[in-house]
Amino acid sequence: MFAPNNKINLFGLMATLFVGQNKVFIPEVDSTNSYATTLLKNVNAIEGTVVFTDNQTKGKGQRGNSWIADSSMNITLSVILKPTFLSVKKSFYLSKITALALYDGLTETLNNSQFDIKIKWPNDILIDHKKAAGVLIENSFKEDGIIWSVIGIGLNVNQKKFENIEATSLGLITEKDHDLEKVMNLIFVYLEKWYLQLRNMNFDLIDQAYLQNLFRVNETSSFEKEGKKFKAKILGVDESGLLLVELENGETKHFEMKEIKMIY
Ligand code: BTN
């Protein structure tokens, strides 16, 4: 009997309504985020369009850092979304849903096995305390709304050697190679699932899932701010995406990503 599976269509492919239905593959590009932004400006690319590459030569990371990934080994892509329904003050929900999509995609790829997958604020994905994925979201805003968002995702898949000892990959932890296209399609499925929750304004559901999988939530962690180390308990994230912590003296503080670095 035909077993309905909401992730597989009749052709055995991952089913999405729009995320990844229009794909633009560039063998080599400076940054998929920059290319997607150019596409938006020049041809007003449709929502769900994905730009992906085998070789990203000038990948952009958070805090002005670069994102370096060996060619043909990893996932480097950007998804174009048009969340015109979202107010600017709620734009951090795009970070939350992207992190959740990666969390779900990796959990499924790793068969819900013993690996410890966590979302590190704001939207990194850690596996066994090492970074496997990073996200860079670039938005275009109007008065109180968003015109478009470019969701840039870098996921370490089959690369086994990293200069940064805090990095890992799916291949490194499982000691086998993974099918890049399969992993990529799974991320599209989950990104669309969480994006539709956002479009339905299911903020509480998104908040709960994000908090439930947040690295070190309700635990005391070490941080660094302007060269000084301090300890604080992570309470969660406020509406604008600032990290909410309780200092050792009981005071509650909100921090921006640029202000602090978590030591883990
Ligand atoms: C981070 O610093 O953690 C964010 C890294 C984001 C990297 C991805 S790779 C695809 C997309 N294109 C870019 O230039 N950056 C993002």
Side-chain angles (χ1 to χ4, degrees), residues 133-202:
V135 174
L136 180 69
I137 301 180
E138 297 181 86
N139 298 307
S140 166
F141 296 113
K142 56 172 191 235
E143 304 89 57
D144 186 40
I146 302 173
I147 306 171
W148 51 253
S149 298
V150 169
I151 313 283
I153 296 175
L155 169 63
N156 300 330
V157 184
N158 294 324
Q159 183 174 333
K160 311 270 177 355
K161 290 205 176 86
F162 294 94
E163 287 199 356
N164 182 351
I165 53 156
E166 286 172 5
T168 192
S169 72
L170 294 180
L172 199 58
I173 56 161
T174 56
E175 297 178 350
K176 64 171 192 181
D177 281 349
H178 293 260
D179 183 339
L180 292 179
E181 202 182 344
K182 215 167 139 189
V183 179
M184 194 165 84
N185 284 332
L186 206 50
I187 292 168
F188 298 158
V189 169
Y190 284 114
L191 184 60
E192 185 171 286
K193 175 194 133 177
W194 283 108
Y195 185 62
L196 292 177
Q197 293 291 356
L198 185 58
R199 206 142 83 175
N200 287 332
M201 309 284 170
N202 288 332

